[in-house]
């Protein structure tokens, strides 16, 4: 992973860097210049100020899963183009480009995991795949993961990193909000826990549905969390927003989330919560 790309303003753009400069990273928050191994060894958390870089599914699994415990499910599911949607390019071309960039066929990876010996079902969003957008395949993977949790009497976890619903699927995408919410209600009736982890960013239809339905809602430090962007809200209400609006710390202060957990403490926190909440 080229850490310089993670500190750039747009993580979907990957500007060319010299071999020498690729060994150094500049924190977007405190502007400290650090050797990339120093950041990598901290699980991509700035050792100077604690700024959390955006990371991918592989790094998430390396951080959370017990050794050789993760088993992926539903990897063969692939999105289709029911509307033959075209904007600047066709939806099919966008999917092909996302697959080429990430090696994945959707913006989520779903599977079984153990964390400190505690088993669960987990779904992890990858922002690098079309901005982690929610489409029909993503919704189906979430619902299947919930059904496995019910069948196995396990807890269910989603780590969200998304710009929202996928516009290229229109109503098909919007329907995933109600579909996943209904499945989570079913999980609740079986008295099994759902823990929602909000990472940077968690926006749009994802934040307006399952991401904020957790029995426990956790956020990473500094994560951007909301529905519409701050600029749109300011234009709509005609006034300036408070400092830090839509950041994890502001939402914790206002009671919208339950806790903020440093990435390096997340595995233990999730395992402990599942142990406390799980009904045998």
């Amino acid at each position: 992973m080229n850490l310089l790309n993670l500190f750039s303003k747009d993580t979907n753009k990957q500007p060319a860097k010299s071999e020498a400069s690729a060994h150094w990273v500049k924190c977007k928050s405190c502007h400290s210049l650090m050797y990339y191994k120093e950041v990598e060894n901290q699980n991509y958390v700035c050792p100077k100020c604690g700024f959390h870089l955006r990371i991918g599914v592989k790094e998430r699994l390396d951080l959370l899963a017990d050794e050789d415990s993760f088993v992926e499910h539903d990897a063969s599911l692939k999105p289709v183009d029911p509307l033959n949607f075209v904007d600047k390019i066709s939806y099919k071309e966008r999917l092909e480009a996302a697959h080429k960039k990430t090696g994945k066929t959707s913006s989520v990876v779903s599977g079984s995991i153990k964390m400190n010996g505690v088993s669960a079902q987990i779904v992890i969003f990858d922002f690098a795949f079309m901005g982690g957008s929610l489409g029909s395949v993503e919704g189906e993977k979430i619902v299947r993961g919930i059904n496995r949790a019910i069948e196995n009497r396990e807890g269910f976890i989603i780590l969200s990193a998304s710009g929202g619903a996928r516009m290229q699927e229109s109503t098909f995408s919007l329907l995933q909000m109600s579909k996943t919410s209904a499945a989570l209600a079913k999980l609740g009736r079986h008295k099994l826990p759902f823990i929602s982890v909000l990472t940077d960013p968690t926006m749009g239809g994802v934040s307006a549905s399952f991401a904020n339905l957790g029995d426990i809602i956790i956020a990473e430090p500094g994560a951007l969390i909301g529905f519409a962007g701050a600029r749109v809200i300011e234009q709509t209400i005609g006034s300036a927003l408070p400092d830090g609006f839509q950041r994890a710390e502001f939402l914790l202060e206002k009671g919208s989330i339950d806790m903020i957990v440093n990435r390096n403490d997340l595995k233990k926190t999730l395992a402990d919560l599942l142990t406390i909440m799980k009904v045998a």
Side-chain angles (χ1 to χ4, degrees), residues 2 29 43 53 61 84 87-88 92 96 104 130 139 162 176 184 208 216 219 222 231-232 254:
N2 187 337
S29 178
N43 294 314
L53 289 76
L61 290 173
N84 294 316
D87 47 280
K88 291 182 178 179
K92 291 179 180 178
E96 290 171 0
K104 301 180 180 67
M130 295 188 68
S162 175
Q176 306 312 307
L184 287 171
I216 298 289
R231 187 181 305 169
V232 173
K254 300 301 180 182

Side-chain angles (χ1 to χ4, degrees), residues 129-158:
F129 189 102
M130 295 188 68
S133 50
L134 174 67
S136 300
V137 167
E138 289 73 21
E140 180 65 16
K141 284 188 175 183
I142 290 170
V143 170
R144 291 189 186 190
I146 292 170
N147 290 337
R148 284 193 301 272
I150 293 171
E151 181 179 353
N152 298 332
R153 298 294 301 171
E154 295 174 331
F156 184 65
I157 301 166
I158 299 180

Side-chain angles (χ1 to χ4, degrees), residues 3-98:
L3 297 180
L4 280 166
N5 296 335
L6 293 173
F7 278 110
S8 64
K9 292 183 179 179
D10 185 350
T11 56
N12 287 321
K13 295 180 181 179
Q14 300 186 356
K17 300 291 180 181
S18 70
E19 185 176 351
S21 66
H23 291 297
W24 299 91
V25 293
K26 186 176 182 181
C27 178
K28 192 168 68 174
S29 178
C30 69
H31 309 295
S32 296
L33 190 65
M34 297 161 289
Y35 185 54
Y36 81 100
K37 280 291 185 182
E38 185 181 8
V39 182
E40 189 178 68
N41 290 339
Q42 295 294 319
N43 294 314
Y44 307 99
V45 176
C46 175
K48 309 295 184 182
C49 70
F51 176 76
H52 282 47
L53 289 76
R54 294 178 183 177
I55 59 176
V57 173
K58 180 183 183 301
E59 290 75 26
R60 292 279 179 200
L61 290 173
D62 289 344
L63 179 67
L64 295 176
D66 293 347
E67 187 174 359
D68 298 325
S69 73
F70 178 74
V71 179
E72 185 175 359
H73 298 293
D74 305 316
S76 62
L77 293 182
K78 298 179 181 180
V80 296
D81 185 13
L83 304 176
N84 294 316
F85 192 96
V86 179
D87 47 280
K88 291 182 178 179
I89 63 173
S90 71
Y91 182 32
K92 291 179 180 178
E93 289 176 294
R94 291 195 183 277
L95 290 172
E96 290 171 0

Side-chain angles (χ1 to χ4, degrees), residues 222-239:
L224 178 66
I225 302 162
F227 181 67
R231 187 181 305 169
V232 173
I233 297 173
E234 287 182 332
Q235 291 174 347
T236 301
I237 66 175
S239 62

